[in-house]
Amino acid sequence: MTKLKLGVIADDKPIKVTVELPASLHRDLVAYAEVLARETGQPITDSAKLIVPMIQRFIATDRGFAKARRML
């Protein structure tokens, strides 16, 4: 099996995605941003900016996904 090594991507333009969040999830996201701001001392003006790092962290730490991806 070939091990992929990602090189420079010529078109590195971000892709805009629009999602609808349930109100309860949005409240949790705002609360998370407030807690994170207190913990780090860095104000978070837009809680939506947490979504990308949260998804990245989720994917990076999902063992089931890592195992399945190795089987591809």
Side-chain angles (χ1 to χ4, degrees):
M1 184 176 291
T2 304
K3 182 177 179 184
L4 298 177
K5 294 185 180 180
L6 188 61
V8 177
I9 299 173
D11 183 14
D12 197 18
K13 183 178 178 184
I15 298 171
K16 184 169 236 156
V17 177
T18 303
V19 296
E20 289 186 25
L21 301 177
S24 61
L25 180 57
H26 181 258
R27 286 190 297 270
D28 287 344
L29 188 62
V30 170
Y32 194 100
E34 290 170 359
V35 171
L36 185 62
R38 277 195 306 254
E39 293 284 320
T40 63
Q42 296 177 336
I44 299 172
T45 57
D46 183 5
S47 60
K49 292 188 178 201
L50 297 178
I51 295 171
V52 170
M54 286 178 156
I55 293 172
Q56 289 172 328
R57 177 75 172 176
F58 177 84
I59 289 174
T61 59
D62 187 321
R63 291 181 182 169
F65 174 68
K67 183 178 178 181
R69 186 165 60 179
R70 283 193 301 270
M71 292 181 184
L72 292 178

